[in-house]
Amino acid sequence: DVQGGRDSLGFLFLYELMTGTLRCGVRTEDSPFLLASYLVPLLKETGAPGSFSGKLAAILEIACAAPFLVAGMPKFDDTRKFKLTTIVAGQNVTKTLLESVGKYLSTKRSEV
């Protein structure tokens, strides 16, 4: 289940895989980006658990479609004082990340 919350993975998991801030794979030579890019289309299926919509889906889809942009995308920096496994939508850490990604992608609009 990739919808986020307790014992499940969400947008930040996929985003961190894509941007290289989280390493995960079956073999040591596996690419975290490729793993995430394989998972994103599965979330687009109607009624798929954890399916994303709006800005979150757009960010992941742009990263999949234009991997050359990923190296410059802002990294997620968890600055919360108390680090819990669940990040609630609208918290400053996610809001700051989404604003930074939006600004970055706006500067790269002509390249997409």
Side-chain angles (χ1 to χ4, degrees):
D1 185 3
V2 290
Q3 65 186 351
R6 183 176 169 85
D7 299 325
S8 60
L9 308 170
F11 167 80
L12 287 175
F13 171 72
L14 295 173
Y15 184 82
E16 287 188 292
L17 282 176
M18 289 188 154
T19 58
T21 54
L22 179 64
R23 301 282 312 160
C24 181
V26 177
R27 301 171 306 172
T28 56
E29 64 270 11
D30 286 347
S31 164
F33 174 85
L34 287 177
L35 175 60
S37 67
Y38 296 147
L39 293 173
V40 169
L42 297 176
L43 298 175
K44 293 168 53 175
E45 295 178 13
T46 306
S51 57
F52 297 113
S53 61
K55 291 179 184 177
L56 300 181
I59 290 168
L60 296 175
E61 289 170 6
I62 289 169
C64 288
F68 61 91
L69 294 177
V70 173
M73 291 177 82
K75 307 293 185 211
F76 173 65
D77 183 23
D78 192 352
T79 57
R80 296 174 298 160
K81 187 174 181 177
F82 300 104
K83 296 181 184 346
L84 304 172
T85 56
T86 302
I87 295 179
V88 179
Q91 285 184 329
N92 284 340
V93 291
T94 53
K95 182 179 178 184
T96 302
L97 175 66
L98 293 178
E99 288 172 353
S100 298
V101 171
K103 288 177 186 175
Y104 172 75
L105 292 176
S106 292
T107 65
K108 302 294 183 183
R109 187 179 308 252
S110 64
E111 298 177 36
V112 179

